[in-house]
Amino acid sequence: MSGMQLIDPSAIMWSAPEADRAGRPLIVLLHGYGSNEGDLFGLAPYLPLDAVIASLRAPRAAGPGFAWYDLDPELNASRIDGGDSAARGILHWLDTQNPSSVGVIGFSQGGAMAVHLMRHAPERFAWAVSLAGFVLDGDAPADARLAARRPPVFWGRGTADEVIPPRFVEHAQRWLPKHVELTERIYEGLGHAVSESELNDVLAFLRQQSDAGAGHATGGAGGTGDARD
């Protein structure tokens, strides 16, 4: 399908059998570059019990695993076309689901994709969590709608992360507050990883969204990676 990187439904790790998924909140996990669908699935036992967890495999082969889009030699921020193609593929897969709401958690490149999905269809996502992630440079189709809607986004990062370039972090610091209701957490001494303290903060963020009734966005029919973005 032109301009779309399709999700392989046979490579998705689920927390519930198909018969038990419809009408429940859905949490989508997006792994980092060079990793796979098994990586972030370890978070599943800590996530809300009422939610169904789906950990997706990215569509492009990358090293020992997979990626949402290709890296370029200069590691610059011009990945918007690849991000758009991957986002369209994830949204196409969501068209086959019937959740009561959709939230998304991503690590590194998957964290960038968690935000990028909202930049394509902000109405379809109740919230997003970006762990050691960033924001793709350039314009996306629904940036204006996202800024008007301002859904809640958690962005956590470590001060010792040597993988995500400082300019990516600086861009996200400028961009996110203008487009989403941002919860930003910075962890002293943390590298390109997720700490127990960060996980606790993420769970508190998810409880806050549940308490606020933020789980009413319909996604309807609408992964930690390695040490790179």
Side-chain angles (χ1 to χ4, degrees):
M1 199 171 289
S2 178
M4 183 185 303
Q5 292 287 320
L6 293 176
I7 296 299
D8 180 357
S10 70
I12 299 171
M13 294 186 70
W14 291 94
S15 66
E18 186 173 1
D20 294 338
R21 297 173 194 164
R24 294 170 61 185
L26 174 65
I27 298 178
V28 179
L29 305 181
L30 306 176
H31 62 75
Y33 182 92
S35 189
N36 60 60
E37 68 278 11
D39 202 347
L40 282 182
F41 199 71
L43 297 179
Y46 303 98
L47 298 175
L49 292 175
D50 62 331
V52 176
I53 314 300
S55 189
L56 309 188
R57 176 187 292 177
R60 303 184 70 83
F66 302 88
W68 301 102
Y69 55 82
D70 294 332
L71 299 183
D72 57 81
E74 299 301 320
L75 196 66
N76 65 42
S78 59
R79 292 92 177 274
I80 196 79
D81 289 342
D84 286 348
S85 179
R88 285 191 288 267
I90 296 170
L91 291 170
H92 178 75
W93 167 75
L94 277 174
D95 287 341
T96 68
Q97 307 304 309
N98 186 30
S100 61
S101 66
V102 182
V104 58
I105 300 174
F107 176 82
S108 195
Q109 191 185 74
M113 287 304 305
V115 173
H116 207 61
L117 283 169
M118 286 187 159
R119 300 178 65 188
H120 278 253
E123 303 85 2
R124 298 178 71 169
F125 298 93
W127 49 264
V129 171
S130 177
L131 306 172
F134 49 96
V135 175
L136 291 173
D137 194 26
D139 297 323
D143 281 347
R145 298 206 315 273
L146 180 63
R149 190 174 182 88
R150 297 185 61 83
V153 170
F154 178 98
W155 178 37
R157 58 188 176 85
T159 61
D161 189 336
E162 298 182 351
V163 173
I164 306 302
R167 65 184 181 276
F168 283 25
V169 174
E170 292 162 5
H171 174 60
Q173 285 178 313
R174 293 190 301 269
W175 193 95
L176 285 169
K178 297 177 182 178
H179 293 82
V180 303
E181 190 65 35
L182 180 63
T183 298
E184 181 181 4
R185 294 289 183 269
I186 302 170
Y187 301 91
E188 191 66 34
L190 179 64
H192 196 62
V194 179
S195 67
E196 182 177 354
S197 176
E198 184 174 19
L199 179 56
N200 289 334
D201 287 343
V202 169
L203 298 181
F205 171 81
L206 296 186
R207 285 193 297 270
Q208 183 180 31
Q209 305 322 309
S210 178
D211 292 345
H216 295 300
T218 57
T224 53
D226 74 351
R228 290 196 286 179
D229 70 325

